[in-house]
């Protein structure tokens, strides 16, 4: 059975019932769940400043809700810097970090955000823009450290500047307009083991010590993301309380030695993944040579991740490794219906695109659904709407529905090509 782990309260059920009459498919974000996740972080890590990674869900109501809770912004493009500014985030709480910033990206954001340089070339590009504007600029550096989540010894990476190269640059900084005031590291996503994350953060404090000594103090150390969420029913959730407790002393030690250095952690999925559902109407059903097919509105082209999970499970023998944020594991999404008491049948869930790749579940048990009913999918709050190829076949797009804590329902249309 697939839907048993889901808790869907009466509020959410009512909204789904109403919306399914209006929309062939839609996302539904529950502000209450977003607040629960964000408040949980704040309570276990009172000394950490959290940034929200906009790229995982840029819905304007989601942004407003999260930034109103006091999080800063992790922006991955000039457009995301603009969104964070529009949502009221102050300039010094927006860190713009991504590989391959163009000169125009830098010029557009240099007064709107804190830039984090991803390469030595980019440092020089920032220097040129700052010199033309005749301004000094405080920047961060994204570092590719000499360690991983699992131990010492660094790996090659397209992200950041190798630690040794960054230190060499700083010792002979020949960019007169640039002062490096922070470092940023992000090595991986979706870690569920508290002890692995704790060991990583400890290495980060050592790294910050090293850079602090060379820079003459740091304003921030951004330790990136890593906090994972429970996708599959059998996943053991990350123990945030244990992680917070494991870090408390270490963090206090670091902050006593460096009282002016803010410790930042970025979260994307942790803040929003579980808050989102994807709802697709049943548009047809048929039996073909013994298989019951349920045809749903906008699956691959509305919520891509379940289709990719199906593909990965077909292509690989054994368990495929993750490819975040496209693919986490084969059962990262649960399927259920509004009437879980209907008689159960064995079905294959497919979409309405003209491709056989558009299948999201094969041979699963699901309560009986008819045309006009819907199938509800979990874990659709992050890397969902933003990641799905909605232009494919030019179907009408899913809309995004946001259920506020006060019960207000706000609708957003996804951008049209
Ligand atoms: C995507 C990204 C994140 C968010 O990752 P999650 O696993 O969703 O928390 C954080 N930091 C950086 C630099 C990223 O690229």
């Amino acid at each position: 059975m697939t839907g048993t782990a889901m808790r869907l309260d009466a509020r959410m059920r009512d909204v789904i019932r109403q919306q399914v009459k209006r929309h062939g498919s839609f996302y539904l974000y529950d502000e209450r769940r977003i607040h629960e996740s964000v408040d949980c972080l704040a309570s276990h890590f009172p000394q950490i400043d959290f940034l929200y990674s906009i790229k995982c869900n840029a819905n304007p109501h989601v942004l407003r809700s999260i930034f109103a809770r006091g999080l800063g912004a992790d922006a991955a493009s000039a457009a995301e810097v603009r969104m964070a500014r529009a949502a009221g985030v102050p300039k010094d709480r927006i860190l713009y970090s991504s590989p391959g910033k163009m000169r125009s990206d830098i010029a557009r954001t240099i007064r709107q955000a804190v830039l984090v340089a991803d390469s030595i070339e980019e440092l020089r590009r920032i220097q040129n823009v700052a010199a033309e504007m005749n301004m000094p600029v405080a920047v961060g550096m994204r570092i590719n450290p000499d360690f991983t989540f699992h131990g010492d010894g660094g790996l090659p990476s397209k992200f950041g500047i190798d630690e040794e190269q960054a230190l060499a640059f700083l010792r002979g900084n020949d960019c007169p307009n640039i002062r490096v005031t922070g470092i940023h590291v992000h090595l991986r996503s979706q870690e569920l083991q508290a002890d692995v994350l704790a060991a990583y953060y400890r290495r980060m404090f050592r790294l910050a010590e090293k850079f602090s000594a060379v820079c003459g103090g740091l304003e921030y150390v951004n330790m990136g993301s890593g906090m994972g969420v429970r996708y599959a029913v059998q996943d053991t959730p990350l123990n945030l309380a244990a992680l917070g407790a494991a870090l408390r002393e270490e963090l206090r030690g670091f902050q006593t030695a460096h009282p002016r250095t803010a410790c930042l952690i970025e979260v994307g999925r942790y803040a929003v993944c579980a808050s989102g559902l994807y709802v697709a109407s049943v548009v047809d059903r048929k039996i073909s040579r013994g298989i019951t097919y349920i045809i749903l509105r906008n699956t691959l082209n509305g919520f891509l991740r379940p289709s990719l999970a199906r593909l990965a499970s077909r292509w690989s023998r054994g368990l495929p490794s993750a490819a975040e944020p496209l693919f986490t594991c084969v059962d990262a999404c649960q399927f259920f219906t509004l009437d879980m008491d209907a008689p159960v049948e064995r079905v294959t869930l497919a979409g309405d695109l003209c491709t056989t790749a558009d299948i999201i579940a094969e041979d699963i048990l699901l309560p009986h659904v008819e045309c006009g009913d819907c199938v509800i999918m979990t874990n659709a709050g992050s890397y969902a709407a933003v990641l799905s190829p909605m232009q494919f076949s030019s179907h009408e797009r899913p809309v995004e529905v946001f259920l506020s804590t006060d019960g207000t329902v706000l609708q957003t249309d996804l951008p049209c090509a």
Side-chain angles (χ1 to χ4, degrees):
M1 189 60 247
T2 50
T4 43
M6 189 55 211
R7 93 176 138 95
L8 186 63
D9 59 33
R11 275 171 332 127
M12 294 286 275
R13 227 195 320 264
D14 286 348
V15 177
I16 293 173
R17 260 197 204 102
Q18 291 156 17
Q19 298 294 326
V20 87
K21 290 183 206 144
R22 283 184 222 153
H23 307 294
S25 63
F26 60 95
Y27 283 92
L28 175 57
Y29 307 126
D30 182 4
E31 184 175 34
R32 199 179 283 183
R33 291 294 293 272
I34 296 176
H35 284 178
E36 278 172 20
S37 311
V38 169
D39 295 350
C40 189
L41 292 169
S43 72
H44 291 300
F45 301 88
Q47 317 94 316
I48 296 279
D49 256 342
F50 284 95
L51 306 178
Y52 173 61
S53 300
I54 297 176
K55 79 170 191 283
C56 83
N57 185 336
N59 176 276
H61 304 296
V62 169
L63 297 186
R64 183 186 40 69
S65 177
I66 287 182
F67 293 137
R69 266 332 214 214
L71 275 75
D74 162 33
S77 66
E80 288 189 355
V81 170
R82 191 163 13 88
M83 290 177 201
R85 293 294 286 137
V89 186
K91 171 198 152 139
D92 63 353
R93 303 265 296 142
I94 304 173
L95 267 66
Y96 174 18
S97 188
S98 76
K101 295 181 204 71
M102 297 189 297
R103 199 197 137 75
S104 55
D105 297 319
I106 293 165
R108 227 178 289 159
T109 52
I110 197 163
R111 292 181 199 280
Q112 301 296 325
V114 177
L115 299 182
V116 178
D118 203 76
S119 68
I120 301 288
E121 166 66 26
E122 204 174 286
L123 280 163
R124 303 209 185 287
R125 225 172 265 173
I126 297 171
Q127 162 61 30
N128 288 343
V129 174
E132 270 169 36
M133 293 184 167
N134 197 22
M135 64 186 275
V137 61
V139 302
M141 268 179 155
R142 178 149 173 187
I143 306 298
N144 177 32
D146 194 19
F147 57 78
T148 67
F149 259 42
H150 294 286
D152 291 332
L155 296 172
S157 175
K158 76 166 211 183
F159 295 107
I161 306 167
D162 285 0
E163 181 181 329
E164 309 76 35
Q165 292 177 28
L167 289 167
F169 171 86
L170 288 166
R171 292 195 179 104
N173 182 354
D174 56 354
C175 294
N177 294 60
I178 285 185
R179 203 160 46 89
V180 175
T181 56
I183 59 166
H184 175 208
V185 173
H186 168 66
L187 295 181
R188 53 169 298 181
S189 285
Q190 187 53 21
E191 179 58 58
L192 291 176
Q193 289 182 272
D195 54 342
V196 172
L197 276 167
Y200 164 70
Y201 294 138
R202 280 189 202 109
R203 290 191 187 97
M204 280 303 301
F205 294 136
R206 302 293 91 78
L207 186 72
E209 300 270 355
K210 222 188 263 186
F211 276 83
S212 189
V214 178
C215 292
L218 292 176
E219 286 171 18
Y220 57 91
V221 46
N222 180 355
M223 306 195 281
S225 182
M227 292 179 177
V229 297
R230 183 185 192 196
Y231 281 103
V233 175
Q234 66 272 17
D235 284 343
T236 307
L238 172 63
N239 188 338
L240 265 202
L243 181 58
L247 276 189
R248 200 156 297 133
E249 281 311 307
E250 204 93 19
L251 198 52
R252 192 170 298 148
F254 180 82
Q255 290 182 326
T256 307
H258 306 275
R260 280 194 295 277
T261 307
C263 294
L264 314 179
I265 290 180
E266 300 166 326
V267 287
R269 67 190 68 204
Y270 196 89
V272 292
C273 181
S275 78
L277 299 174
Y278 184 67
V279 183
S281 308
V282 177
V283 282
D284 204 352
R285 49 175 296 146
K286 65 178 75 165
I287 296 172
S288 166
R289 305 213 158 94
I291 302 288
T292 301
Y293 286 92
I294 308 286
I295 311 293
L296 300 171
R297 187 75 174 148
N298 293 346
T299 50
L300 184 154
N301 58 325
F303 181 19
L304 176 67
R305 283 172 45 94
S307 307
L308 285 184
R310 261 320 90 208
L311 285 181
S313 72
R314 278 198 204 175
W315 285 339
S316 67
R317 296 170 192 281
L319 205 60
S321 60
E324 293 294 349
L326 291 167
F327 169 70
T328 305
C329 55
V330 291
D331 41 11
C333 174
Q334 291 82 51
F335 305 97
F336 64 110
T337 64
L338 277 177
D339 180 9
M340 291 302 280
D341 298 327
V344 166
E345 61 183 342
R346 192 166 284 283
V347 297
T348 287
L349 299 178
D352 55 359
L353 292 181
C354 298
T355 158
T356 47
D358 190 13
I359 288 185
I360 57 171
E362 282 172 288
D363 209 22
I364 61 163
L365 291 172
L366 196 77
H368 183 92
V369 281
E370 280 295 332
C371 294
D373 292 336
C374 63
V375 170
I376 303 163
M377 305 168 209
T378 58
N379 293 327
S382 56
Y383 307 109
V386 290
L387 211 59
S388 301
M390 296 183 186
Q391 285 160 298
F392 189 16
S393 289
S394 303
H395 277 294
E396 199 177 317
R397 291 166 187 235
V399 299
E400 291 183 302
V401 177
F402 182 87
L403 175 60
S404 310
T405 46
D406 67 4
T408 319
V409 173
L410 302 164
Q411 186 188 314
T412 316
D413 292 326
L414 285 158
C416 236

PDB file of all heavy atoms in Angstrom, residues 222-237:
ATOM      1  N   ASN A 222      29.378  30.278   5.605  1.00  0.00           N
ATOM      2  CA  ASN A 222      28.147  29.658   5.104  1.00  0.00           C
ATOM      3  C   ASN A 222      28.426  28.176   4.864  1.00  0.00           C
ATOM      4  O   ASN A 222      29.170  27.820   3.953  1.00  0.00           O
ATOM      5  CB  ASN A 222      27.714  30.367   3.816  1.00  0.00           C
ATOM      6  CG  ASN A 222      26.439  29.780   3.234  1.00  0.00           C
ATOM      7  OD1 ASN A 222      25.930  28.782   3.733  1.00  0.00           O
ATOM      8  ND2 ASN A 222      25.937  30.396   2.185  1.00  0.00           N
ATOM      9  N   MET A 223      27.821  27.334   5.703  1.00  0.00           N
ATOM     10  CA  MET A 223      28.139  25.905   5.671  1.00  0.00           C
ATOM     11  C   MET A 223      27.284  25.120   4.681  1.00  0.00           C
ATOM     12  O   MET A 223      27.330  23.892   4.648  1.00  0.00           O
ATOM     13  CB  MET A 223      28.006  25.343   7.087  1.00  0.00           C
ATOM     14  CG  MET A 223      28.858  26.159   8.070  1.00  0.00           C
ATOM     15  SD  MET A 223      29.129  25.388   9.661  1.00  0.00           S
ATOM     16  CE  MET A 223      27.586  25.713  10.471  1.00  0.00           C
ATOM     17  N   GLY A 224      26.499  25.828   3.898  1.00  0.00           N
ATOM     18  CA  GLY A 224      25.756  25.172   2.827  1.00  0.00           C
ATOM     19  C   GLY A 224      24.581  24.353   3.338  1.00  0.00           C
ATOM     20  O   GLY A 224      24.091  24.554   4.447  1.00  0.00           O
ATOM     21  N   SER A 225      24.159  23.423   2.499  1.00  0.00           N
ATOM     22  CA  SER A 225      23.007  22.609   2.835  1.00  0.00           C
ATOM     23  C   SER A 225      23.464  21.209   3.210  1.00  0.00           C
ATOM     24  O   SER A 225      24.643  20.967   3.426  1.00  0.00           O
ATOM     25  CB  SER A 225      22.045  22.567   1.663  1.00  0.00           C
ATOM     26  OG  SER A 225      20.911  21.826   2.006  1.00  0.00           O
ATOM     27  N   GLY A 226      22.543  20.295   3.255  1.00  0.00           N
ATOM     28  CA  GLY A 226      22.855  18.916   3.588  1.00  0.00           C
ATOM     29  C   GLY A 226      21.708  18.257   4.336  1.00  0.00           C
ATOM     30  O   GLY A 226      21.519  17.054   4.263  1.00  0.00           O
ATOM     31  N   MET A 227      20.930  19.069   5.051  1.00  0.00           N
ATOM     32  CA  MET A 227      19.847  18.496   5.843  1.00  0.00           C
ATOM     33  C   MET A 227      18.798  17.844   4.944  1.00  0.00           C
ATOM     34  O   MET A 227      18.178  18.516   4.113  1.00  0.00           O
ATOM     35  CB  MET A 227      19.192  19.594   6.681  1.00  0.00           C
ATOM     36  CG  MET A 227      20.113  20.111   7.762  1.00  0.00           C
ATOM     37  SD  MET A 227      19.311  21.422   8.696  1.00  0.00           S
ATOM     38  CE  MET A 227      20.586  21.758   9.915  1.00  0.00           C
ATOM     39  N   GLY A 228      18.612  16.544   5.115  1.00  0.00           N
ATOM     40  CA  GLY A 228      17.730  15.795   4.232  1.00  0.00           C
ATOM     41  C   GLY A 228      16.324  15.652   4.791  1.00  0.00           C
ATOM     42  O   GLY A 228      16.068  15.925   5.960  1.00  0.00           O
ATOM     43  N   VAL A 229      15.429  15.233   3.939  1.00  0.00           N
ATOM     44  CA  VAL A 229      14.052  14.999   4.357  1.00  0.00           C
ATOM     45  C   VAL A 229      13.677  13.544   4.102  1.00  0.00           C
ATOM     46  O   VAL A 229      14.316  12.850   3.316  1.00  0.00           O
ATOM     47  CB  VAL A 229      13.049  15.918   3.629  1.00  0.00           C
ATOM     48  CG1 VAL A 229      13.313  17.366   3.954  1.00  0.00           C
ATOM     49  CG2 VAL A 229      13.085  15.705   2.127  1.00  0.00           C
ATOM     50  N   ARG A 230      12.610  13.114   4.764  1.00  0.00           N
ATOM     51  CA  ARG A 230      12.160  11.747   4.616  1.00  0.00           C
ATOM     52  C   ARG A 230      11.337  11.654   3.329  1.00  0.00           C
ATOM     53  O   ARG A 230      10.233  12.172   3.259  1.00  0.00           O
ATOM     54  CB  ARG A 230      11.291  11.426   5.821  1.00  0.00           C
ATOM     55  CG  ARG A 230      10.804  10.037   5.836  1.00  0.00           C
ATOM     56  CD  ARG A 230       9.859   9.901   7.004  1.00  0.00           C
ATOM     57  NE  ARG A 230       9.579   8.504   7.236  1.00  0.00           N
ATOM     58  CZ  ARG A 230       8.568   8.086   7.969  1.00  0.00           C
ATOM     59  NH1 ARG A 230       7.778   8.956   8.557  1.00  0.00           N
ATOM     60  NH2 ARG A 230       8.359   6.799   8.111  1.00  0.00           N
ATOM     61  N   TYR A 231      11.889  10.998   2.335  1.00  0.00           N
ATOM     62  CA  TYR A 231      11.145  10.803   1.084  1.00  0.00           C
ATOM     63  C   TYR A 231      10.407   9.467   1.117  1.00  0.00           C
ATOM     64  O   TYR A 231       9.195   9.419   0.995  1.00  0.00           O
ATOM     65  CB  TYR A 231      12.093  10.824  -0.114  1.00  0.00           C
ATOM     66  CG  TYR A 231      12.519  12.203  -0.572  1.00  0.00           C
ATOM     67  CD1 TYR A 231      13.762  12.703  -0.265  1.00  0.00           C
ATOM     68  CD2 TYR A 231      11.664  12.996  -1.335  1.00  0.00           C
ATOM     69  CE1 TYR A 231      14.164  13.968  -0.701  1.00  0.00           C
ATOM     70  CE2 TYR A 231      12.047  14.253  -1.776  1.00  0.00           C
ATOM     71  CZ  TYR A 231      13.300  14.731  -1.458  1.00  0.00           C
ATOM     72  OH  TYR A 231      13.681  15.972  -1.889  1.00  0.00           O
ATOM     73  N   ALA A 232      11.171   8.396   1.258  1.00  0.00           N
ATOM     74  CA  ALA A 232      10.548   7.074   1.249  1.00  0.00           C
ATOM     75  C   ALA A 232      10.001   6.766   2.637  1.00  0.00           C
ATOM     76  O   ALA A 232      10.525   7.240   3.640  1.00  0.00           O
ATOM     77  CB  ALA A 232      11.578   6.021   0.841  1.00  0.00           C
ATOM     78  N   VAL A 233       8.939   5.965   2.664  1.00  0.00           N
ATOM     79  CA  VAL A 233       8.305   5.630   3.939  1.00  0.00           C
ATOM     80  C   VAL A 233       9.313   4.982   4.889  1.00  0.00           C
ATOM     81  O   VAL A 233       9.290   5.196   6.095  1.00  0.00           O
ATOM     82  CB  VAL A 233       7.107   4.690   3.678  1.00  0.00           C
ATOM     83  CG1 VAL A 233       6.501   4.212   4.978  1.00  0.00           C
ATOM     84  CG2 VAL A 233       6.055   5.404   2.839  1.00  0.00           C
ATOM     85  N   GLN A 234      10.258   4.203   4.321  1.00  0.00           N
ATOM     86  CA  GLN A 234      11.205   3.494   5.194  1.00  0.00           C
ATOM     87  C   GLN A 234      12.412   4.342   5.600  1.00  0.00           C
ATOM     88  O   GLN A 234      13.253   3.889   6.361  1.00  0.00           O
ATOM     89  CB  GLN A 234      11.657   2.183   4.524  1.00  0.00           C
ATOM     90  CG  GLN A 234      12.489   2.360   3.260  1.00  0.00           C
ATOM     91  CD  GLN A 234      11.639   2.472   1.989  1.00  0.00           C
ATOM     92  OE1 GLN A 234      10.428   2.737   2.057  1.00  0.00           O
ATOM     93  NE2 GLN A 234      12.244   2.307   0.830  1.00  0.00           N
ATOM     94  N   ASP A 235      12.516   5.587   5.105  1.00  0.00           N
ATOM     95  CA  ASP A 235      13.623   6.458   5.523  1.00  0.00           C
ATOM     96  C   ASP A 235      13.519   6.788   7.004  1.00  0.00           C
ATOM     97  O   ASP A 235      12.430   7.056   7.508  1.00  0.00           O
ATOM     98  CB  ASP A 235      13.579   7.807   4.765  1.00  0.00           C
ATOM     99  CG  ASP A 235      14.066   7.691   3.331  1.00  0.00           C
ATOM    100  OD1 ASP A 235      14.721   6.679   3.007  1.00  0.00           O
ATOM    101  OD2 ASP A 235      13.787   8.628   2.546  1.00  0.00           O
ATOM    102  N   THR A 236      14.665   6.801   7.678  1.00  0.00           N
ATOM    103  CA  THR A 236      14.685   7.294   9.057  1.00  0.00           C
ATOM    104  C   THR A 236      14.924   8.798   8.992  1.00  0.00           C
ATOM    105  O   THR A 236      15.935   9.233   8.445  1.00  0.00           O
ATOM    106  CB  THR A 236      15.842   6.643   9.843  1.00  0.00           C
ATOM    107  OG1 THR A 236      15.718   5.235   9.697  1.00  0.00           O
ATOM    108  CG2 THR A 236      15.802   7.027  11.311  1.00  0.00           C
ATOM    109  N   PRO A 237      13.991   9.593   9.536  1.00  0.00           N
ATOM    110  CA  PRO A 237      14.165  11.040   9.407  1.00  0.00           C
ATOM    111  C   PRO A 237      15.443  11.529  10.097  1.00  0.00           C
ATOM    112  O   PRO A 237      15.912  10.910  11.046  1.00  0.00           O
ATOM    113  CB  PRO A 237      12.931  11.615  10.110  1.00  0.00           C
ATOM    114  CG  PRO A 237      12.014  10.483  10.359  1.00  0.00           C
ATOM    115  CD  PRO A 237      12.794   9.219  10.278  1.00  0.00           C
TER     116      PRO A 237
END
